[in-house]
Amino acid sequence: MARFGRVSTAMVTPFDNKGNIDFKKTIKLVDHLINNGTDSLVVAGTTGESPTLTTEEKLALFDHTVRAADGRIPVIAGTGGNNTYQSIELTKRAEEMGVDAIMLVAPYYNKPNQAGLYEHFAAIAKATSLPVMLYNIPGRSAVNIHPETIIELSKIDNIVAVKEASGDLDAMTKIIAETDDDFLLYSGDDAFTLPVLSIGGIGVVSVAAHVIGNEIQEMVRYFLNGDHANAALLHQRLLPLMRGLFHAPSPTPVKTALQLSGFDAGSVRLPLVPLTEEERLNLQALLKAVKVNKS
């Protein structure tokens, strides 16, 4: 079993009706996710609306999540950013909170070159004893971490994994082929979970696991047990919902899907806005289709 399991959930941040973090709901959400197939949690990542969270809010969120998880599953803190020294400081404070690992997103907006990316990640990794998961998401960060850079970074002892959301299976194959066996590649897109498993990836850092975590685990089990036909059929059934959760800016759809599934994690913070009624009805239909078609 992988260090962080097969299905890691990029957890939403629950808010109350005034837009403050709802820590009671956070504790309940951790239990909900564990009961629905989650092997580990990523906290204060993109899906957790990290750009809208203050440093103190992130630290409080780390603390409450660690307490709620209570050692049952690993908690991975999103401490990355585009300011290396601030990321180091946040990482050190997260380590004091008892998180099990950190995730470092590619620095956004300032668009460093590959040498800058390497030095940024290396500096943060060397400032902590925690395991590090890199996060490559060029669609949001405007910079792509090249496979060669990830391969070099994997040689740093505590850089142990990458969440790959580039959509480039050729690049992912190169990373898997040219890193040690204990370096783990996770899909950063739910829709790529099965393709990534097929090229040697370990699993997924998932958004959809908020509502179909057990189904994703079932698909992974089919694949690992050599039942590729049923894995493919389940992938086909889940794919429309996986895609639908990104028909509007994330995490608005998944927070709505949670609400439609009986768990109210509140709305999103500006600059994100709630779904339109049409978008909500479309998402509701996708959720219903997954349940109706369940074999």
Side-chain angles (χ1 to χ4, degrees):
M1 175 58 77
R3 180 192 297 260
F4 307 121
R6 299 285 182 177
V7 179
S8 180
T9 301
M11 191 176 78
V12 301
T13 300
F15 296 129
D16 62 23
N17 56 12
K18 295 182 179 179
N20 299 311
I21 297 178
D22 190 322
F23 291 110
K24 289 184 179 179
K25 283 183 181 176
T26 299
I27 293 167
K28 292 179 180 178
L29 180 59
V30 171
D31 287 336
H32 168 82
L33 293 174
I34 291 174
N35 291 333
N36 285 276
T38 293
D39 294 320
S40 59
L41 294 168
V42 173
V43 185
T46 309
T47 310
E49 296 177 73
S50 59
T52 72
L53 300 177
T54 67
T55 297
E56 293 309 315
E57 283 179 323
K58 289 178 182 179
L59 290 168
L61 192 59
F62 298 156
D63 183 47
H64 279 80
T65 305
V66 167
R67 292 174 186 271
D70 193 28
R72 291 176 290 171
I73 59 173
V75 174
I76 306 164
T79 60
N82 64 351
N83 182 318
T84 307
Y85 300 106
Q86 285 184 359
S87 291
I88 288 172
E89 183 58 30
L90 181 58
T91 296
K92 288 179 177 179
R93 295 182 69 183
E95 187 165 5
E96 293 171 359
M97 297 287 178
V99 303
D100 299 286
I102 59 167
M103 187 178 75
L104 302 178
V105 68
Y108 41 85
Y109 190 74
N110 31 14
K111 298 178 74 171
N113 60 18
Q114 296 302 305
L117 287 169
Y118 179 90
E119 295 299 337
H120 168 81
F121 291 123
I124 302 170
K126 290 172 183 175
T128 182
S129 63
L130 292 172
V132 176
M133 177 186 289
L134 307 173
Y135 181 16
N136 188 31
I137 183 163
R140 285 185 181 267
S141 65
V143 63
N144 183 41
I145 316 172
H146 293 174
E148 295 81 3
T149 305
I150 293 172
I151 292 163
E152 283 302 308
L153 284 163
S154 75
K155 297 173 184 176
I156 297 173
D157 286 345
N158 61 330
I159 297 183
V160 300
V162 61
K163 175 186 176 183
E164 248 293 345
S166 67
D168 186 343
L169 286 171
D170 289 348
M172 294 185 221
T173 301
K174 181 178 177 67
I175 293 165
I176 293 166
E178 298 184 26
T179 55
D180 291 342
D181 290 345
D182 58 357
F183 184 80
L184 310 175
L185 186 141
Y186 287 85
S187 173
D189 296 296
D190 283 293
F192 277 83
T193 304
L194 190 56
V196 165
L197 287 171
S198 75
I199 61 170
I202 201 72
V204 61
V205 179
S206 174
V207 173
H210 284 88
V211 289
I212 51 170
N214 286 325
E215 289 84 351
I216 296 171
Q217 284 282 14
E218 184 180 10
M219 180 178 69
V220 172
R221 283 195 297 271
Y222 277 136
F223 179 83
L224 295 176
N225 290 334
D227 190 348
H228 297 164
N230 272 319
L233 287 172
L234 190 47
H235 167 77
Q236 292 161 22
R237 177 163 68 86
L238 300 179
L239 186 61
L241 177 58
M242 289 174 171
R243 294 292 192 195
L245 291 173
F246 289 89
H247 282 172
S250 186
T252 311
V254 74
K255 277 193 162 180
T256 305
L258 267 174
Q259 184 185 56
L260 291 169
S261 301
F263 191 102
D264 187 1
S267 189
V268 289
R269 281 182 175 175
L270 289 171
L272 301 182
V273 294
L275 298 185
T276 65
E277 185 59 23
E278 181 181 1
E279 289 169 335
R280 183 182 178 88
L281 289 172
N282 288 339
L283 182 59
Q284 188 172 31
L286 291 172
L287 276 167
K288 184 177 180 180
V290 167
K291 294 176 183 178
V292 168
N293 293 329
K294 187 172 184 179
S295 57

